Amino acid sequence: MESRRHLLRHRAGDCGRALPPSGSKVPTTCPRREKSPMQAPYDTEVTADVFAKAKNTFNCLIGQLTDTASGMLTHDRLEETIVEQGRELQRQLLQAHLDLRALRERQLAHHTRRHHAAGAAAPVVGSDGVPRPRLETGHHRLLATVVGTVTVTRCAWRAPGVRNLYPADAVLSLPAVRHSAGLAKLAVIETVRGSFDAAHAALAARCGNVIGKRQIEQAIVAAAVDVDAFYAARAPLPCTACTVLAISVDGKGIAMRPEALRPATAKAAARARATFRSRLAAGEKPARKRMATLGVVYDAESAPRRPHDVIAVPGGRAGQRLPRARPSAIRKWLCGSISTGPAAVIAKVFDHAEARDPGHARPWVVLVDGARHQLDLITAQAARRGIGVHIVIDFVHVLEKLWAAAWSLHPPAAAAAEDWVAGHALALLAGNTGHVITALTGQVATTAAHRRDGIDACIRYLTNNLEYLRYDQALEAGWPIATGVIEGACRHLIADRFDLAGARWGLAGAEAVLKLRALIANGDLDEYWRFHRARQHERVHQNDYQDGYSLTA
């Protein structure tokens, strides 16, 4: 009697119903929901069978946690136990669900094939127009996931001379490779913040031994293929006409493997001969670099200032008046590339800027460091699009030129050099660049020839870039006058990741990591991943079928 009561309790529990009182009539079957076309008549029993292993693992874990011996465990041992066995439980649940789907697919496939034998149209037709009338069950493939590796069992639809089609793969949107989309996204997150070795260790600690270092590198390259298309299809939020639209471009070198260098750099590296066998001589580098170009577009509300709000007058500030605030960068968008040249990156930056201001109604301010090739590319791009831009050379670079000139006129560590630099800097900020050039030219005559390099270089720099040093107009209009945003981007996107000790990069890996770091810095990873998954599904599955891949129609 007790055995029968236990069996009835088990059946009632499976149905989600309470056990009736003793002596009452017990229903022999459980109420079931209406079956979908994908469910078999024995679906409840099948479900119970495929999930039996997961249920057993869960019950064992409960048994461990309720055992008196677990009362002596410290909290860290409890965490380890739950994490390790919990991951295996999740893997078994995923495996059981995939097994259940395989059983349902096999039943439906046999039903569909019988209809085809009775004269119905072929259930699966490839994009090549060839029907696949032959059914073969029991095909398997492995799928490495964040909870472990599982086996996907599915049906193959075949025809002579053409490749098999697997509708279940399309329904699951399985990747072409072994590793799941969730595992690939986790690899992206771990790889962009540290080395590939560190990413591999982090994935192994969290997911088990499901992916190797080389597979991580391949996953990163594959994950970045849709970044350009994602931003090309995205419409930025508009701003008011008075909001400044700021653009800045800069370059930074990345140490590359020999085969990834540009041709000219590779030839120079091949010709170079080490001076010493055991150490580097002065000026020698341990590796050759390839220049990456970064670009940034951001908005800034105008903040008018005066010269002494930017730099203190000679002798320092007096009184209690605080300097006016500078413009603050908002809605920053970063991009970069090492495989393409500066022209492509500058064009991409202008594309994004035009998406923010298609009518060219806002003031466009381009901040540069004075590199001539960048200036030529920027002016050419603006002229081609018919955009009037205001080019401003970074004031910090100009300050460095003034300091170099100061050491031509003052002894090392002389306190008077600071006041000399401050006086000329305030003159530049007030729009008196010509006066500064005249003053420096007059001081050259009293300087010894062997100490004139710094002041001569400063005069040439100011003279060559005179039209881009109109700081009085920039301050009055409230524009930014420094390239701190792009300088910070160079440090964050490149120096913090690519300059790890001993790192030497291949071209594909460096390009992918650079794009993904910019994407994450923009805060767009989740939105991009949905876009990337949709594009990947089209590439891998959508184009394989003539009329879709569902067998339920």
Side-chain angles (χ1 to χ4, degrees), residues 186-206 211-213 216 220 497:
L186 190 58
V188 168
I189 294 171
E190 294 294 340
T191 301
V192 298
R193 66 169 63 142
S195 67
F196 285 105
D197 287 327
H200 180 250
L203 289 173
R206 176 170 174 176
I211 189 170
K213 178 183 172 182
I216 292 176
I220 295 303
R497 175 63 182 90

Side-chain angles (χ1 to χ4, degrees), residues 332-351:
K332 290 184 289 186
W333 177 81
L334 297 166
C335 68
S337 177
I338 190 171
S339 62
T340 60
V345 175
I346 290 173
K348 191 183 301 182
V349 165
F350 270 80
D351 288 341

Side-chain angles (χ1 to χ4, degrees), residues 216-234:
I216 292 176
E217 296 175 1
Q218 295 169 349
I220 295 303
V221 173
V225 296
D226 295 315
V227 172
D228 292 338
F230 168 71
Y231 281 120
R234 201 166 182 240

